[in-house]
Structures are given as C-alpha cells and as structure tokens.
Amino acid sequence: MSKQKIFITTPIYYVNDKPHLGHAYTSIAADVLARYYRSQFGNENVFFLTGTDEHGAKVAEAAKQAGKEPKEFVDELVPRFEETLKNLNISNDQFIRTTNPEHEKVVRDLIEKLVASGFVEKKSYKGLYCIGCERFLNKDELVDGKCPDHKTEPLEQSEENYFFLLSKFQDKLIKIIESGKFKIAPEGRKNEVLGKIKQDLEDVSISRQAVEWGISFPEDPKQTIYVWIDALINYFSATKIYDKADFWPPTLHLMAKDILWFHAVIWPALLMALELPLSEEVYAHGFFTIGGQKMSKTVGNVLDPNEMVKKFGADAVRYALLREFPFGEDGDISEEKIALRYEKDLANGLGNLVNRTLTLAKSNNIKLLKPKILVIDKEIYKSNLTARQIAYQDIENLHFHSVLWLIWKVIKDATEIIDKKQPWLLAKENKETELSKVLNPVYDHLISISELIFPFMPETAEKMRSQLETLEPEQLFPRISI
Ligand code: MSP
C-alpha cells in the first residue's frame, strides 16, 4: 500500500447489551491493520476509529426492558464496550458515540444538505421491520416467516417517512463498483452486491415516526432520523469532531457481511448525493458461529470476550480468533478451540521454542548473533520472497489466517531443527561451536517472529523482544488449567 494517510473503521456497535466475541472479532482485525500501518507509515498517519451506535428502536426497547431511560441505559453500557477494547489491547485512536451532541449536529447538517440536494422525498411505506437488524426485510429474506439472523418475526409497519432516492444511483453505483473506484471485498461479496443492485434498488426511508429515541429530523420534529443513517455518518462526523479532516475519505470500513448492504450501497450513494469523496474500500468478513448458528445477543449464544481474556490473556484470544478460520469466511468458535490453540500453538509451540533456545544458550554461554533476513522454504509459497514480504502482503490483503499459518510454519521448522539436532547432547559433549551453529539460526527466526507477530500479539512481541535482547528466558505462556 503506497497511501500515506490510513483511516480504518469498525462498525459502531449497538449498545443494547454488553459486547460479545463477535464485536471483538472485527475490532481485533481492525487493530491488526492499524498497528501494521502505524509500523509502516508512523502513528500520525493512521486514524483508527470505533464506537457505539446508541439511538433507534433496538436500543430504546432494551432500555425499556431494563426499566431505564435510553440515555441512562447507554451511559451505563458504553463503559463496558470501552473496557472490552482495553482488555483486548485495541489501539483505537478515537471512540465515537452517536449521542455525542457534536455528532448529532453533523448528522442534522448533512441531512439538511441531503434534503437540499433533491434526493429526498416524503412517501408512505408499508413493510416488515426487524428491530434486531434495524431494517425492513423483503419477504424472500424470511425463513419460516422469521428473520434468519435473529429468529424473530418482523413487525408490519406503515408510516409516512422521508425517503432517500437510492434508486436514482443505480447506474452510478454499478459504475464505481465495476471500475474499482469503490472497492468491495472479498470478491464473492462484491459480486453478490452488484447482482442485487442490478436486480432492483429500492429507495430507503431515512426517518421514523414511531421511534422517539433518535436525532430529530430537520424541519420536522415529529420524525427522527433513521438510526442507520445517523450511524453511517459517524465515519464523517468523527473526522470533524476529532480534527481529522485530512484523513477523509476512509481507507477501509471493516464489518461482517450482515451490514454490507448499508456500507456498500447506501453509504456510497449518500456520499455521492452529498458530493463528498467516497470511501475507498469496504471489507465484509464472515460470521462467528456456535454450532453453525451466528453468535448474536438476540439469539443468546454469545461468548464474553472479557472472560476469554481473563482465562487466556488478550494475545491468545486475538491469535486464536484470527487463526481459527480464514477472515472472509464463516467459522465455528468455542472456548475449547481457544484453549487448544493456547496449549498447542502458544504454550507448547512458540513459548517452548523461545524458552528452550534461550535456556540452552544461557546455560552454555553461547553467543547469539544479530539476525540476517529470514528466508523461508521456497516450496512453501513457491516464491522467493522473504517471510516478511509475504506476511506484509498477506496483512494488507486481510489474509490474517495465512500470515499466522506462515509464522507458525517457521516456528514448527525451528522446533524441528532443535528436535533433530538435539543440542542438549552437544551441550553435554561441550561442543560449543556446533551448539552455536544450531542455536543461531533458531535465534534468527525468533527475532523475525517477534517482529511479525507484533500487530497480532503486541504484548507477546514486546516480551519476546526483551527476552531475546537480554537472553533471559521467562515463561511466555504459563500453563493454565481450564
Ligand atoms: N450498529 C450497527 C452498525 C452501524 S455501523 C455504521 C450494527 N451493530 S452491531 O452491534 O449489530 O454490530 C454488527 C457487527 O458486529 C458486525 O458487522 C460484525 O462486525 C460484528 N459482529 C457481530 N456479531 C458477529 C458475529 N457473530 N460474527 C462476526 N462478527 C460479528 O450492526
């Protein structure tokens, strides 16, 4: 990537309940990218934004069920989101809340501008609304009359609302997507979106009469601005609020496939109507599933990221989630799977390798020398790139799973060197030169590994770096009983 200013976003999460591991997943991936780009372009050239989506029917209903006023309810929950980010070592530069009055003002200003653009009309609408999704569903999306993600029956709603004339953007959307001016990834999802745009593009309601908990519509206080429009604008309002105007347009919006349509279709159309430069790319990853079912608060099959961090540590959770299955695809996750990764790949894999190498070197007074460039087996990737170049390319392409696979292949190779050459025997026979010949390449590998894992496992990378410098071995991943 040659661009110097990098603006990365996660979705802003609904605060209808505490955060779960699904939210953590997107935040971790965005964090890996942010840390990687900071290492390439410097901290001042990266803006990593996350936050919370606090208006709308879904949040208002949850507040009602808790017997609280919506604002009181969100004010109590938002710190849980911030705390979770901290526990996972997420390095977001800002955290935006849609109840921030400064954000509300930007939203109202943009809606005024949108109305003035001529792309807004008032019309009546009747449809099936899913509060879990905060959107109208088409009949053909339902499974047994229910929303497939939330397993609830949508409610029939009819109102007179303001509509954004999305249908007028059909040709323009096709053009920007097909030409690559606006990127949608992975490729399969881009094709799905394009297919849907070509089939039919309905106008979208951008206001609600029945929802009080929202930003009031300019010139029509009986209506509130549709929560999704309010939410999408966070990406823009944040650049105003936090003095980051020079980061516009966003480089990458990360999310799961559930909300791709909003980001890949409604959002660029809104930006075109507002004559604002378009975001460069949206990337939709897969779903975490538990027994094949999407992990979701509404369904109730969630894992708590904070508990996972308490048990395994932030780095292990970050590693396990990105290692378990390819980023663009769905995959099943469970506590057992995280525990297995911890034991096999981290404690027995990386942890042991560092420990054995440094212990042998220390107890035999072996001098470990600064490394050369790490070159891995050509056969692995059928290329003669260095592991570092391959890893960087993979990170930029969001192939996190492949980077981690590659690093652990190097760990496995290095472990095999030690197992095969049995350096402890050399130590017994006082063969220092030979021992040094075995340990030095492994040490080389370890230094490179500590650099490569940094975006994924920042704490471990730091600990490794300091152990490799002082040559003082210490347990990186203590044994845990589960
Ligand atoms: N508030 C909207 C987003 C507005 S962005 C302008 C929203 N919030 S959400 O709380 O439902 O978060 C959805 C996002 O959380 C997904 O797109 C994904 O990033 C993450 N995930 C939530 N559950 C997930 C899984 N089970 N699996 C993977 N990611 C998940 O939609």
Side-chain angles (χ1 to χ4, degrees), residues 10-14 16 20 22-23 25-26 53 58 132 228 231-235 254-259 263 285-289 294-297:
T10 72
I12 49 171
Y13 304 110
Y14 288 127
N16 56 325
H20 62 69
H23 304 129
Y25 187 52
T26 316
D53 189 355
K58 180 165 169 150
W228 258 105
L232 286 166
I233 293 173
N234 93 85
Y235 303 130
L254 260 189
M255 72 211 69
K257 58 188 177 181
D258 51 345
I259 56 174
H263 286 83
H285 62 71
F287 280 155
F288 262 15
T289 54
K294 182 193 172 207
M295 184 188 295
S296 117
K297 289 178 280 206

Side-chain angles (χ1 to χ4, degrees), residues 267-302:
W267 180 229
L270 275 175
L271 291 175
M272 285 192 275
L274 291 164
E275 295 179 355
L276 285 169
L278 295 181
S279 307
E280 286 170 27
E281 179 171 353
V282 297
Y283 187 102
H285 62 71
F287 280 155
F288 262 15
T289 54
I290 297 223
Q293 167 76 50
K294 182 193 172 207
M295 184 188 295
S296 117
K297 289 178 280 206
T298 322
V299 179
N301 57 349
V302 296

